[in-house]
Amino acid sequence: MKERYDVIVIGGGASGLMAAVAAAGEGCRVLIAEKMEKCGRKIRITGKGRCNITNITDTETFLGKVRSGAEFVRKAIETLPPERLRQMLEKAGVRTVEERGRRLFPASGRAFEVADALVRMAERAGAEIVYHARVTDMERESDGWNITMERRDGKPVRVSCSNAVIATGGVSYKATGSTGDGYLFAHRLGHAIVPLRPSLVSLKTDTSVFSRVKEQLRNVSLTLYADGTEIDTQQGEMTVDGDIIEGPIVLRLSRNAVDALTDNKRVEAVLSLKPSLTPRQIAERIRRETEADASLTIEGLIRKMVPRTLVKAITSIAKVKNTDMATAITDRTRDAIVGALTAISLRITDYGGFDEAVVTAGGVSLGEVDSSTMESLKAPGIYFTGETLDIDADTGGYNLQLAFSTGFLCGTSIAGKLRKNR
């Protein structure tokens, strides 16, 4: 380890590694200070160990999936768009495959290949990596910053640099090293921190109707309300597990649900098991089924329309008896069944914590960071990337791309500044 570097990157996650790749690739002397035993710990477990690298889509569509800071990250996404990221990883030996929804994964299905490739890219570009190095302090000096690191033996080591990149991530999955260090550094430097909340997280309901149900639901819709006002609707897949709902469409709604609960609003989600059908079409389906089989019971009828595990829940919501004959259904009973299939009301009472959240919402206020470089407007020479910033997006590869793109823009910006000053 040298005494001075052009750039010290604090944190060897997705954004930190990419910042190092970009800066070192343009001739900067770069040191990555990683407090864990290896880099990319969160990358290695993301996507259930498969790593949804990015989403291969155009810039405008991509920005439409960003929940906080869409315009702020525009320059970053344009500098390192998803297709360019794919090409970089392919060149580094990571074969990729595009799956449903334009989601990009390593063809091997092994997330660690992505993390290992990024480490190789950084090292081949000339970056130095020091492990078990927890940064404890940052002090301004006349020509840059003095960084204090605590090594595994507890002894402090001081290294100086012209520029420092705070790429320490959020506070989700703390076992990977994301413990919020960057927010503390930013606060000490005078930055405002937008309150942190878990995002892309499961939701808890107060309903007992699904108390014994564990089922993955496909082609359903979920509409979120806060104090009676519709906030958002998502359609696709979700999972019911007793009083917990999770899965893709729940994750996409969770950020708004968390914000509404934080604001002490009454939050409700309305589930439709048949979003592609109108109530009239469902009623007609019921009529056809009962005419076709005179021996059909209510239970048998509903079983033809929903998974077996949901039959009891539907009859309970509709207040009908399983054993009643379907041919004896009254208009009122039919309407009740239709309502149970299309509008199951779920009161949202809580949400999963940071330990299960995919990403952290909140972070360093974007108004205090230059979006064209990722440099602090309060502390020149300090840069922020990835989840340290108040940016987050939908599930589907968007958040990891945000980390890569902000890191890459940061690294190229530092290299450009150093060239200009030499």
Side-chain angles (χ1 to χ4, degrees), residues 7 31 158 165 227 335 352 377 382 416:
V7 188
L31 175 69
R158 289 191 175 88
V165 180
D227 282 349
D335 291 345
L377 296 175
I382 295 294

Side-chain angles (χ1 to χ4, degrees), residues 227-295:
D227 282 349
T229 300
E230 182 177 333
I231 302 299
D232 194 7
T233 298
Q234 295 289 332
Q235 186 168 333
E237 298 180 5
M238 64 176 281
T239 299
V240 174
D241 188 359
D243 60 354
I244 302 296
I245 56 174
E246 52 193 351
I249 65 173
V250 175
L251 295 183
R252 292 198 291 269
L253 291 173
S254 65
R255 189 186 194 278
N256 285 330
V258 170
D259 287 348
L261 287 170
T262 301
D263 291 340
N264 294 316
K265 294 181 179 180
R266 179 184 175 85
V267 182
E268 180 184 27
V270 177
L271 169 65
S272 173
L273 300 173
K274 300 291 179 182
S276 61
L277 299 177
T278 65
R280 178 176 293 183
Q281 288 172 321
I282 298 172
E284 177 59 23
R285 167 81 182 277
I286 292 173
R287 185 189 65 77
R288 291 198 309 270
E289 295 290 356
T290 55
E291 288 181 354
D293 185 357
S295 65

Side-chain angles (χ1 to χ4, degrees), residues 194-199 255 258-259 262 351 354 359-363 390:
V194 176
L196 308 179
R197 297 96 68 206
S199 186
R255 189 186 194 278
V258 170
D259 287 348
T262 301
Y351 48 86
F354 284 112
V359 295
T360 302
D390 179 25

Side-chain angles (χ1 to χ4, degrees), residues 14-39:
S15 69
L17 285 167
M18 192 57 80
V21 168
E26 295 194 36
C28 297
R29 294 167 298 171
V30 179
L31 175 69
I32 301 174
E34 170 55 50
K35 70 178 182 180
M36 305 299 284
E37 81 287 354
K38 63 176 68 172
C39 287

Side-chain angles (χ1 to χ4, degrees), residues 170-203:
V171 291
S172 61
Y173 291 114
K174 291 185 178 181
T176 65
S178 297
T179 54
D181 299 356
Y183 305 126
L184 177 60
F185 297 143
H187 181 69
R188 289 175 181 171
L189 293 168
H191 279 273
I193 307 299
V194 176
L196 308 179
R197 297 96 68 206
S199 186
L200 302 183
V201 71
S202 66
L203 299 174

